[in-house]
Amino acid sequence: MTAGSSFIKPQYGGRCVADLPSTIQHLLTGAGRAALAPEIMAGLADRYDTIIFMFIDSFGWRFFEQAAPDYPALQRFVQHGRAERITARDMRDWRL
């Protein structure tokens, strides 16, 4: 983030939404590699038959951290799933 700016540079190569598709494909099929950072992947099995993926965009990590203790649904994500802070893609990087 730069001073006076709310722009957060995408953390491609491990902590970006762009790393999710290949990671999910890898976990379901074993093909390719998991692109998410090793610390995010720690403790996960090598393969899964089913993955339930929920991406809550525009909520903001700081709001998640504030709200999670007060909402049972968010608590379940933290206790029984995976809730990780990742960055969005820079829209200038999208190729249509």
Side-chain angles (χ1 to χ4, degrees):
M1 186 181 314
T2 60
S5 170
S6 62
F7 177 76
I8 297 173
K9 184 178 178 182
Q11 295 179 1
Y12 297 117
R15 290 198 153 271
C16 183
V17 67
D19 300 314
L20 292 169
S22 62
T23 299
I24 292 171
Q25 178 186 15
H26 174 74
L27 291 172
L28 288 171
T29 67
R33 66 175 190 82
L36 285 174
E39 62 271 16
I40 294 175
M41 300 300 295
L44 295 178
D46 293 331
R47 295 278 298 272
Y48 290 89
D49 294 325
T50 304
I51 294 176
I52 298 172
F53 171 70
M54 291 188 71
F55 184 72
I56 304 172
D57 194 15
S58 298
F59 189 60
W61 187 254
R62 68 184 168 118
F63 295 116
F64 179 85
E65 288 181 316
Q66 291 171 359
D70 299 325
Y71 292 91
L74 295 179
Q75 290 174 18
R76 282 191 292 276
F77 282 116
V78 173
Q79 295 167 357
H80 304 291
R82 198 53 68 112
E84 294 287 344
R85 183 178 186 171
I86 61 173
T87 59
R89 289 184 66 166
D90 186 340
M91 292 305 291
R92 295 171 293 187
D93 293 337
W94 286 94
R95 305 290 183 249
L96 300 176

